[in-house]
Amino acid sequence: MTPFQDTRPRDPGRGLFSPRETEQLMRVEFERSQRHGLPLVCLLLGIDRLGTLQDLYGREAREEILAASLGALRRITREHDLLCALSDDRIVALFPQSAPEIGAQLARKLLEAARDMRFEREGRSLRISFSIGVAHNRHKDATSFDTLVAVAEEGLAVADAAGGDRFVETELYQLVEQQRRARELAAQRAPVPAPAAPAAPAAPAGPPSRAPKLGDTLLDVLAAMGVRVDDPNSLDRDSLQRLLFRLQDERAPVVPGDLVAERRKNDVLERRIAKLVEKLGVTESELKRIAQLKNVDLGIASIYRDVQGLGGDAAQAERKREMMKEIFTANFQMKREIEQRGRKA
Amino acid sequence: MSSQGILYVGLDLGTSRTSIASSNGQRATVLSYVGYPKDVVSRKLLQRDVLFGQEAVDKRLSLELYRPLAQGVIQADGPAAAQNLRAARDLIVEIVRRAKPQPGELVYAVIGAPAQATLQNKQAILEAASGCVDSVMLCSEPFAVAYGLEMLDDVLVIDIGAGTTDLCRMRGTMPEESDQITNTFAGDWIDERLAQEIRAFAPRAQFSKEMIKAIKERYSNVARNAPMVVVDLPVEGKPMPFDLTDPIRKACIGIVQPIVEGLAQLIATFDPEFQPRLKQRVLLAGGGSQIKGLDRAIEDAMRERLGEGRVQLVEEPLYAGAAGALKLAEEMPPEFWEKLK
C-alpha cells in the first residue's frame, strides 16, 4: 500500500493537488528523470508530536501547525517541485533535477525553519520540530517510484524513533526493492478474485472426508488474513507462498521502529566484543609466553598488566608510570599524615 | 613469589551510587544508603544489623538511614560524623563483598574521589576503606574515567555525580589542582530545583525527595523537542496528572551554564595552540550524563560561549569511573601497593 492511497479531491485550503493526482504527477516526473538520467530527491516530512499537540490544544492548533509547515516547505521549493500533504499529515516533496546532497541541504533548512516557528496557545509557547526521511534516485536499486517513497518512509520512521528533530537518509534501497519485487511476484501469482461464494454444496454420500488438523489451522489463518480457500484440497504450494509473502509484508513496517534501538544495542555490543576479542588474543599469547618460562609468577596481575596496555612495548607506558608514581606519592604522604595524627591522638 | 592471589578493585564512591569493578570480572552498583535498625523490634523484624541501597530506602521507616557521602565525600563533620564514618565503612565493606573476593585473597583498591576533595575528606575516605581492603589509593574521579578510556592527552572530562560535577583537564600528565574544577550543580541540585519548579507550577501537589529523584531519573531531558511528561502526583490524597515537561527541562538545563563556564575557564588557561583540539574532546560521564540531550545542550552552549565544541558520551555512565579505577589498580606497580599496606 502506498502512502498516497487517498482519493480526496484537491484541498482548496492547502492549495495542493489530491494525493492521488500528485502521485501520478510524481510518478511521471520520476519516470522522466530515470529516462533522461536526471537526479531527483524525495523528502517525506512528519511533524513531531502533532497528535499530542492536537489532543492538548485542539484541531485548530493542528491545522495552524500544518499550514505553517507547508508554508516552510513552499518557501524552499521551486515552481516545478511537487508537494503533497498525505491524509496522515505527512508531507511528500519531490525535487526534480536535484543532486542527492541537495536532499540533506533542504532537510537542514526545514529543520531550522521548524526551530524558528512559534505558536502561542493558552499562554504557552509551543515549539515544533520535524522528522524527515530523505531518498534519491542515484542509488542503483532506486529503480521505481515506490522504492523511492518507501526508502524515504524508512528514513522518517528512523528519525521519528530517534526522537525527531532530525533527518535520516537510509541506504535500504536494495532491501525495499527486493520486498517490492516479492510483492509484485505474489500479486502475479494470486488467483483472479472469485465471484461471491456459492451456497455450500451438499455433502457427498459416504463417509465425510476430514481435512488434517494442520490443514484446518492453515485454512483458519488464511481466512483471517482474507485469503479465500474454497476447497481445502487446493491448499497448495502457491497458497502457502502467498501466506508467507503477506506475513513478510505485515512484519516489514514493524522493523524500522525497533531497528534503531536494536542497532544501537548491537553497536555497543559489537564494540565491546571487538575489545574483548582483542584482549583475549593478547591474553592467550601472554599465557603462551608465560607457560614457556620457568619460575614466574603466574598470577592474574602479571597477565593483566600486559593485557591492559602496560607491557614494555606499550606506547604510553612511560607516561603512565610517571602518573602512577605521582598518585602513589600523594597517597603515601596522606597515609603518613594519618599515621602521625593517630600517634598524636 | 607470592602464593596469595590479589583481587584488584576500582571503586566509584558516589553520593548517589557506589559502584565497583573488579579484576575477577565482577561488577556491582548499590545506592549509597546505609540503614541500621532503629530499635530491638526493628532488628527482630529485619533480622539484620545493617541494610544497604534500595532495600534500606524501602524500609527506611524502621531504620536510622544514612547517606554517608554528601557532595561525594564522607560527612566527617557535625553531630553525625561518627555514624557517617561507620556507614561509609560498612558501605565499602558491602560493595567489596559484592566483588566476591576469594578467602585469603588480597584486595587492592583504587577509589575515585571528587576532583577537589579536601585533604580531610580524602583522609576520611582512606580511613573508611583501610579496614576492609589490604591496600588502598585515591585518585581523582574524572582522571579515572579518562584513564579507563586511554584518553590521557588534551581531553576535558565532565563527571556529573549526585553531589558534585567534576571537570578535569587531561594534558598527558597527572592533573594538578589548576586542571580541576568542582561545582555542586549536580544531581542533588537538580532534585532541589525540580522540587521548587513543581511547587511553583503545582502548589497543591504533594511529593517527597525520593519521588522527585525517581521522576528525574526516569524523565530527565533537556532536548528542545522532549516528549511530554505527564506524572500523577497526589493532591489532597487523590492522584492528579501534571504536565512536568517544562519544570523538568528547566531544572535539568540549569547545570549546563555552570559546566560550560568551568570548561571555558579550563580551556582559556590552556596552551592556545591546543585549545581547538581540547574543545573537540569533551567527555561526558557520571550518572548525570544520562540526562537525555545533555551532550547536545552542552555542545550548543559551548558553540555560543567558545565558538565550537564536541561532546562525547561515555558508554557506561554507571561504571566508567569504577572501570577506570580498576584499570589503574591493575597497572599500578606491585611495589607501590606493598608500600601502602
Side-chain angles (χ1 to χ4, degrees):
Chain A
M1 181 172 176
T2 75
F4 298 92
Q5 284 180 359
D6 180 5
T7 51
R8 287 183 307 175
R10 180 197 292 253
D11 181 345
R14 295 176 190 170
L16 298 169
F17 288 103
S18 78
R20 270 291 184 204
E21 291 165 341
T22 319
E23 182 188 6
Q24 288 310 317
L25 291 171
M26 286 182 172
R27 282 185 189 281
V28 169
E29 190 57 53
F30 180 84
E31 292 304 328
R32 197 176 68 82
S33 299
Q34 293 295 90
R35 208 165 46 244
H36 297 292
L38 297 171
L40 173 143
V41 166
C42 174
L43 298 191
L44 186 60
L45 180 148
I47 301 161
D48 299 329
R49 303 187 290 129
L50 187 61
T52 315
L53 291 170
Q54 177 179 328
D55 293 343
L56 275 177
Y57 302 109
R59 193 170 173 80
E60 278 180 12
R62 174 180 158 280
E63 287 298 323
E64 189 185 339
I65 291 167
L66 204 53
S69 306
L70 280 165
L73 247 173
R74 279 204 192 91
R75 278 193 289 281
I76 64 160
T77 50
R78 302 159 295 184
E79 277 294 313
H80 59 280
D81 294 332
L82 295 166
L83 207 58
C84 171
L86 302 175
S87 55
D88 57 0
D89 293 334
R90 293 182 302 171
I91 302 170
V92 188
L94 201 71
F95 300 89
Q97 295 180 39
S98 300
E101 54 272 20
I102 299 292
Q105 288 174 17
L106 292 171
R108 273 192 207 99
K109 277 187 189 173
L110 283 170
L111 293 177
E112 280 170 20
R115 286 173 196 142
D116 293 338
M117 287 182 199
R118 294 284 184 277
F119 302 94
E120 290 290 334
R121 275 290 180 283
E122 297 171 15
R124 295 187 67 178
S125 172
L126 307 183
R127 290 179 173 183
I128 64 157
S129 57
F130 296 151
S131 295
I132 303 172
V134 183
H136 60 81
N137 70 339
R138 280 308 198 205
H139 195 280
K140 67 179 173 56
D141 288 306
T143 54
S144 80
F145 177 68
D146 290 334
T147 301
L148 194 75
V149 175
V151 170
E153 277 190 302
E154 297 283 355
L156 171 59
V158 174
D160 186 45
D165 195 20
R166 67 196 69 205
F167 71 92
V168 172
E169 199 171 347
T170 68
E171 290 291 328
L172 295 172
Y173 296 92
Q174 194 182 3
L175 179 72
V176 170
E177 183 64 13
Q178 278 172 359
Q179 286 174 347
R180 188 185 68 81
R181 283 182 190 157
R183 273 197 299 275
E184 277 182 8
L185 193 65
Q188 282 167 13
R189 286 181 176 177
V192 178
S209 64
R210 286 172 60 86
K213 198 176 176 187
L214 179 62
D216 286 345
T217 312
L218 276 172
L219 285 176
D220 290 344
V221 174
L222 285 169
M225 299 183 74
V227 178
R228 265 173 55 99
V229 180
D230 295 330
D231 178 9
N233 295 324
S234 69
L235 190 62
D236 56 5
R237 182 185 289 269
D238 276 356
S239 307
L240 290 173
Q241 191 70 43
R242 273 174 17 232
L243 171 64
L244 286 174
F245 280 133
R246 276 180 179 251
L247 281 173
Q248 197 177 7
D249 287 351
E250 289 191 4
R251 280 167 55 189
V254 181
V255 174
D258 299 338
L259 207 60
V260 181
E262 289 304 320
R263 269 188 193 150
R264 266 196 218 125
K265 274 188 204 166
N266 283 347
D267 282 350
V268 172
L269 289 173
E270 275 170 12
R271 282 206 296 277
R272 200 166 294 158
I273 289 167
K275 280 182 196 168
L276 290 172
V277 166
E278 192 187 332
K279 285 185 178 177
L280 190 64
V282 181
T283 309
E284 282 175 353
S285 60
E286 181 62 11
L287 281 170
K288 274 182 198 162
R289 188 183 70 77
I290 292 170
Q292 289 167 354
L293 302 175
K294 288 180 182 174
N295 303 325
V296 181
D297 181 359
L298 293 175
I300 290 171
S302 60
I303 297 169
Y304 266 80
R305 267 197 295 282
D306 277 3
V307 172
Q308 301 281 7
L310 201 69
D313 55 348
Q316 295 184 319
E318 193 55 42
R319 202 159 42 159
K320 281 184 176 178
R321 273 196 203 100
E322 283 302 314
M323 287 181 177
M324 282 176 204
K325 204 171 167 185
E326 285 185 47
I327 292 173
F328 163 73
T329 309
N331 278 278
F332 191 67
Q333 279 175 356
M334 258 192 296
K335 190 167 186 263
R336 282 176 62 182
E337 281 173 29
I338 292 171
E339 284 169 355
Q340 281 172 4
R341 209 176 54 190
R343 274 198 291 274
K344 279 180 194 168
Chain B
M1 181 174 158
S2 170
S3 59
Q4 279 179 303
I6 297 169
L7 180 70
Y8 294 98
V9 298
L11 265 112
D12 182 354
L13 213 53
T15 305
S16 173
R17 283 179 178 278
T18 296
S19 303
I20 193 166
S22 63
S23 58
N24 60 6
Q26 294 289 337
R27 281 175 161 201
T29 187
V30 62
L31 289 179
S32 300
Y33 285 97
V34 183
Y36 302 97
K38 274 181 178 167
D39 48 36
V40 181
V41 180
S42 311
R43 165 76 187 79
K44 197 167 181 182
L45 186 73
L46 298 166
Q47 298 195 330
R48 259 175 299 167
D49 291 326
V50 55
L51 279 79
F52 300 96
Q54 190 60 50
E55 194 182 8
V57 176
D58 292 343
K59 295 178 179 163
R60 60 184 178 277
L61 297 180
S62 318
L63 300 169
E64 296 283 355
L65 192 66
Y66 292 92
R67 199 185 184 193
L69 303 144
Q71 300 182 357
V73 290
I74 296 171
Q75 294 305 288
D77 298 326
Q83 281 299 334
N84 274 326
L85 200 61
R86 178 189 167 201
R89 197 175 293 130
D90 287 340
L91 183 65
I92 296 172
V93 169
E94 171 64 13
I95 197 79
V96 170
R97 186 187 68 76
R98 292 189 187 194
K100 298 181 182 169
Q102 297 294 311
E105 204 169 31
L106 294 173
V107 178
Y108 291 170
V110 169
I111 301 177
Q116 288 188 325
T118 62
L119 186 66
Q120 194 193 2
N121 297 148
K122 288 177 182 171
Q123 285 177 345
I125 295 173
L126 277 182
E127 278 183 56
S130 56
C132 57
V133 297
D134 297 283
S135 194
V136 58
M137 286 190 207
L138 295 185
C139 76
S140 127
E141 270 167 11
F143 170 77
V145 171
Y147 193 90
L149 297 170
E150 295 269 352
M151 293 176 83
L152 304 175
D153 284 316
D154 307 334
V155 179
L156 279 167
V157 184
I158 307 168
D159 183 6
I160 306 173
T164 60
T165 292
D166 292 339
L167 309 175
C168 179
R169 180 174 63 193
M170 297 291 295
R171 49 188 173 84
T173 59
M174 268 303 287
E176 295 168 1
E177 207 174 322
S178 60
D179 293 319
Q180 307 185 70
I181 291 175
T182 296
N183 68 45
T184 52
F185 293 92
D188 287 349
W189 183 87
I190 294 175
D191 291 351
E192 279 175 30
R193 177 88 189 269
L194 180 55
Q196 285 171 13
E197 292 287 345
I198 296 177
R199 261 182 230 117
F201 176 71
R204 293 167 63 210
Q206 297 169 298
F207 50 83
S208 66
K209 273 185 180 181
E210 281 72 26
M211 288 161 76
I212 291 288
K213 191 163 181 266
I215 291 170
K216 177 196 73 178
E217 288 183 355
R218 180 156 178 203
Y219 298 110
S220 59
N221 198 326
V222 293
R224 213 175 42 78
N225 64 335
M228 188 186 303
V229 178
V230 178
V231 177
D232 280 353
L233 292 174
V235 175
E236 292 167 6
K238 184 183 174 187
M240 301 281 285
F242 291 96
D243 176 1
L244 298 185
T245 316
D246 283 345
I248 289 175
R249 186 169 186 277
K250 274 186 199 167
C252 294
I253 203 83
I255 64 169
V256 172
Q257 215 48 46
I259 286 175
V260 174
E261 285 306 318
L263 292 178
Q265 202 177 321
L266 291 175
I267 290 166
T269 50
F270 199 57
D271 185 332
E273 199 180 335
F274 295 101
Q275 285 182 10
R277 179 172 154 81
L278 203 57
K279 288 182 214 170
Q280 295 298 322
R281 287 162 62 87
V282 178
L283 206 56
L284 185 57
S289 67
Q290 294 174 98
I291 297 173
K292 290 173 205 73
L294 187 61
D295 50 343
R296 274 197 180 181
I298 294 173
E299 276 182 2
D300 291 345
M302 280 181 77
R303 268 195 286 276
E304 202 171 294
R305 173 79 170 77
L306 300 160
E308 60 182 326
R310 186 159 179 277
V311 179
Q312 187 187 331
L313 275 169
V314 297
E315 270 184 29
E316 298 176 299
L318 286 184
Y319 288 106
L326 169 64
K327 190 165 156 59
L328 196 57
E330 288 172 337
E331 296 179 356
M332 191 66 72
E335 60 269 24
F336 290 172
W337 285 118
E338 291 293 325
K339 284 182 186 168
L340 286 170
K341 267 186 183 176

